[in-house]
Amino acid sequence: MHAMKHINSMSNRGYSKHETEAKMNELQAQLSYMHHKLKVQVDREVWLQFQSEITQIEHTKAFIENICSNGKR
């Protein structure tokens, strides 16, 4: 709806409807690409943080197991 108002507004300023629609499609493609890149970056950051947490848990588990095995001797 908003895009159609914008297209009509641009048409009133001397841009053809076809040119305006082409520009809007180009902008939509750019926004989709930016959204995809952002999602990939966020997914990567979440995965790296998850891996870091898993590593920390494994180190803590190994430390506790080491203490327990030393206490049984």
Side-chain angles (χ1 to χ4, degrees):
M1 177 85 171
H2 182 69
M4 286 306 297
K5 287 180 183 178
H6 190 67
I7 288 172
N8 290 334
S9 172
M10 290 181 74
S11 293
N12 291 338
R13 287 186 269 152
Y15 294 97
S16 75
K17 186 174 181 179
H18 178 57
E19 290 172 324
T20 304
E21 287 175 341
K23 186 64 175 172
M24 296 296 262
N25 287 334
E26 181 183 323
L27 291 171
Q28 177 61 40
Q30 289 175 357
L31 286 172
S32 293
Y33 177 74
M34 289 169 34
H35 177 261
H36 174 73
K37 294 283 286 185
L38 180 60
K39 184 178 182 327
V40 167
Q41 182 63 30
V42 167
D43 288 349
R44 181 180 178 278
E45 291 295 324
V46 168
W47 177 251
L48 290 174
Q49 185 64 35
F50 174 76
Q51 290 295 341
S52 176
E53 293 295 324
I54 291 296
T55 300
Q56 186 62 38
I57 289 169
E58 289 171 351
H59 284 290
T60 303
K61 180 181 173 187
F63 178 74
I64 291 169
E65 287 173 347
N66 188 32
I67 289 174
C68 289
S69 67
N70 285 337
K72 291 180 181 179
R73 290 183 190 180

